[in-house]
């Protein structure tokens, strides 16, 4: 009976998927979603459509098997939610009946651990704690438990409409887990770095990824992921997604294989870190990442040096610079001086026939004006503001053309 339900309701019907971005990067995520959906790895039954709502981006009319491409291909998403059902709900009794009507057994394995988060907006059913308990009560009666590694269930009550979602990942999507040493402070979340890289890089050719503030390796890794687009479960699998009843493992493996076959020799990377302890963590992380992705093994060099003392090799002509200075995400007394020197270095640290383009993260307006003065306003292309952990950050793109 359950298998027939799965065939009809999971594989035979079009689905709705909510995808969340990092604050400030929704437009970049929408661009990436459209790119993925319009270049499917095989032919699917339905034609998906991307729409926006108050909470995020919503993909309508997507085949379940095409939906499986999303966690393996989207770099800028923070969460992917599969919509299970939606219905008009105007009372606590109707709410409980709606939760009971959802065929949980076709989405969750028997005895699965669950964690529930209910959100209520402009609704008479405003007591979110009570809604949480009601949902858990229904799920416990169906044999699901709490504790252990959970499946995350989100219930949204908006005015008189209730919608139930299942998160396909136990952790936020940006936790790729290609780093084993997390001792470096103030690292930027991976999906935010990916959004900044996508915003600036576009389709420009790149000969070298140059990260003078390499930190724990996020900027280098996310640049490689954007350039070569391997399957994103290289380091972190999706065991809960694959544990769904009657999961189409053959489709999953086909998608992974198609992405793996598209791999080419990795773009060279130069990672610079001035701190001796930090350089060891950086090397450890890049070595660890290359175990799962062998194309990286000979593609990078990590150098212990201050950015002012490093020189870019002259043979590289198109150089991408994702810059996250140590003061990029927190304020310090010498912020202005650092950014002024960084802007000037972009002129003096390279050959005239080398084009250098990329972005820099800035924490305040003083740093912005110092960098603008150093690099020259004619070389600054745009500003994108976003937040991480409540910190307002400016992402400023720059492009210094090569002079023949």
């Amino acid at each position: 009976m359950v298998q027939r339900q799965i065939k009809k309701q999971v594989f035979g019907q079009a689905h709705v998927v909510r995808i969340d971005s990092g604050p400030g990067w929704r437009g970049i995520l929408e661009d990436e979603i459209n790119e993925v959906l319009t270049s499917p790895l095989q032919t699917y039954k339905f034609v998906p459509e991307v729409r926006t709502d108050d909470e995020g981006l919503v993909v309508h009319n997507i085949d379940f098997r095409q939906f499986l491409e999303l966690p393996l291909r989207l770099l800028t998403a923070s969460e992917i939610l599969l919509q299970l059902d939606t219905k008009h709900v105007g009372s606590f009794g109707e709410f409980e009946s709606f939760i009971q009507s959802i065929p949980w057994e076709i989405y969750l394995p028997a005895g699965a651990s669950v964690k529930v988060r209910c959100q209520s907006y402009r609704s008479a059913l405003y007591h979110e704690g009570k809604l949480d308990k009601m949902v858990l009560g229904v799920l416990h009666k169906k044999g699901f438990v709490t504790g252990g590694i959970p499946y995350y269930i989100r219930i949204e009550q908006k005015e008189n409409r209730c919608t139930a979602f299942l998160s396909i990942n136990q952790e936020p999507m940006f936790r790729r887990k290609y780093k084993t040493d997390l001792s470096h402070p103030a690292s930027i979340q991976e999906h935010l770095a990916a959004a900044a890289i996508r915003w600036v890089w576009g389709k420009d050719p790149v000969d070298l990824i140059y990260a003078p503030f390499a930190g724990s390796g996020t900027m280098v890794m996310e640049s490689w992921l954007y350039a070569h687009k391997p399957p994103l479960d290289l380091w972190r699998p999706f065991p809960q997604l694959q544990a769904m009843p009657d999961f189409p493992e053959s489709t999953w493996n086909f998608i992974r294989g198609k992405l793996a076959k598209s791999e080419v020799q990795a773009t060279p990377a130069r990672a610079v870190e001035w701190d001796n302890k930090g350089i060891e963590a950086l090397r450890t992380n890049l070595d660890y990442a290359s175990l799962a992705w062998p194309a990286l093994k000979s593609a990078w060099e990590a150098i212990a040096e201050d950015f002012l003392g490093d020189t870019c090799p002259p043979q590289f002509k198109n150089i991408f610079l994702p810059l996250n200075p140590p003061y990029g995400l927190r304020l310090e007394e010498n912020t202005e001086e650092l950014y002024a020197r960084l802007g000037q270095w972009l002129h003096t640290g390279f050959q005239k026939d080398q084009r250098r383009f990329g972005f820099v993260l800035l924490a305040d307006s003083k740093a912005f004006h110092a960098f603008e003065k150093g690099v020259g306003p004619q070389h600054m292309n745009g500003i994108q503001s976003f937040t991480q952990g409540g910190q307002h950050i400016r992402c400023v793109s720059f492009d210094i053309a090569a002079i023949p």
Side-chain angles (χ1 to χ4, degrees):
M1 178 66 179
V2 171
Q3 284 186 328
R4 286 202 299 269
Q5 279 185 291
I6 292 171
K7 186 175 181 179
K8 180 181 178 181
Q9 294 186 236
V10 177
F11 301 141
Q13 291 186 11
H15 292 272
V16 177
V17 179
R18 164 87 59 76
I19 308 176
D20 294 340
S21 67
W25 293 110
R26 181 181 289 191
I28 296 299
L29 173 60
E30 183 174 9
D31 178 73
E32 185 182 28
I33 293 171
N34 281 312
E35 179 183 284
V36 169
L37 294 179
T38 55
S39 60
L41 299 177
Q42 59 180 321
T43 301
Y44 297 102
K45 186 175 181 180
F46 305 105
V47 179
E49 178 188 358
V50 181
R51 306 176 193 170
T52 61
D53 67 13
D54 293 340
E55 303 304 317
L57 293 159
V58 182
V59 182
H60 291 260
N61 204 50
I62 187 170
D63 186 288
F64 183 82
R65 289 178 171 84
Q66 187 171 14
F67 155 73
L68 295 180
E69 291 192 17
L70 302 181
L72 292 175
R73 298 181 66 185
L74 290 178
L75 292 168
T76 62
S78 61
E79 188 171 24
I80 300 175
L81 300 162
L82 178 64
Q83 181 176 302
L84 305 184
D85 202 356
T86 184
K87 190 176 182 180
H88 180 280
V89 167
S91 68
F92 285 109
E94 290 181 351
F95 177 83
E96 187 171 31
S97 296
F98 169 65
I99 299 302
Q100 289 174 337
S101 71
I102 297 172
W104 296 101
E105 66 278 1
I106 74 173
Y107 298 105
L108 301 175
S113 176
V114 294
K115 188 171 183 178
V116 174
R117 181 188 178 194
C118 292
Q119 296 174 299
S120 182
Y121 308 90
R122 304 182 298 277
S123 172
L125 282 65
Y126 60 86
H127 196 316
E128 294 177 345
K130 182 176 180 178
L131 297 179
D132 286 345
K133 290 179 180 179
M134 292 176 70
V135 176
L136 285 172
V138 170
L139 293 172
H140 287 163
K141 288 179 181 179
K142 290 180 177 287
F144 303 110
V145 300
T146 51
I149 300 176
Y151 285 81
Y152 284 91
I153 295 166
R154 185 190 294 185
I155 310 294
E156 291 184 357
Q157 176 73 25
K158 284 189 175 182
E159 297 179 344
N160 289 326
R161 175 156 291 276
C162 188
T163 307
F165 297 95
L166 175 65
S167 177
I168 67 162
N169 44 297
Q170 145 198 0
E171 299 179 280
M173 291 292 295
F174 60 79
R175 291 181 185 160
R176 322 236 199 259
K177 295 194 174 180
Y178 47 61
K179 293 184 284 190
T180 185
D181 190 325
L182 303 175
S183 60
H184 197 279
S187 59
I188 186 171
Q189 292 175 350
E190 288 86 338
H191 69 312
L192 301 179
I197 290 165
R198 182 180 184 86
W199 176 58
V200 174
W201 189 330
K203 300 185 183 300
D204 292 336
V206 168
D207 300 324
L208 176 69
I209 298 163
Y210 188 11
F213 311 97
S216 57
T218 301
M219 289 298 182
V220 173
M221 286 301 305
E222 292 303 317
S223 295
W224 272 328
L225 289 175
Y226 177 75
H228 303 298
K229 298 178 175 55
L232 287 184
D233 68 338
L234 278 171
W235 306 275
R236 187 198 70 186
F238 294 86
Q240 291 175 303
L241 179 62
Q242 293 178 263
M244 290 177 68
D246 213 22
F247 182 82
E249 197 73 44
S250 59
T251 299
W252 182 259
N253 290 332
F254 173 81
I255 293 169
R256 293 192 77 260
K258 289 281 283 188
L259 293 172
K261 288 176 183 176
S262 67
E263 181 180 301
V264 296
Q265 184 175 356
T267 303
R270 185 176 184 85
V272 182
E273 175 59 38
W274 67 272
D275 178 67
N276 288 331
K277 184 178 179 181
I279 194 69
E280 291 306 315
L282 172 65
R283 288 170 177 157
T284 297
N285 288 335
L286 295 179
D287 276 331
Y288 175 74
S290 66
L291 294 176
W293 191 3
L296 306 183
K297 287 183 178 179
S298 60
W300 58 271
E301 57 179 342
I303 299 153
E305 181 65 85
D306 183 271
F307 75 94
L308 289 173
D310 190 57
T311 302
C312 182
Q315 67 268 28
F316 298 107
K317 301 305 177 185
N318 289 291
I319 303 156
F320 179 66
L321 291 123
L323 303 178
N324 181 21
Y327 306 109
L329 303 183
R330 57 189 186 274
L331 301 177
E332 295 288 344
E333 291 182 0
N334 58 347
T335 299
E336 294 174 67
E337 180 185 348
L338 174 78
Y339 280 101
R341 289 160 57 200
L342 179 57
Q344 294 163 6
W345 173 79
L346 289 171
H347 289 287
T348 60
F350 297 81
Q351 303 294 321
K352 290 183 178 181
D353 62 347
Q354 291 179 311
R355 179 201 175 197
R356 47 273 192 203
F357 72 101
F359 63 86
V360 61
L361 302 183
L362 307 111
D364 62 356
S365 58
K366 291 182 179 179
F368 170 78
H369 292 301
F371 180 78
E372 181 182 43
K373 183 178 180 180
V375 77
Q378 72 274 21
H379 299 302
M380 296 175 64
N381 289 344
I383 305 173
Q384 179 73 30
S385 295
F386 66 98
T387 59
Q388 174 177 289
Q391 171 72 61
H392 176 76
I393 305 164
R394 294 172 179 84
C395 180
V396 178
S397 68
F398 59 86
D399 191 336
I400 302 176
I403 300 174

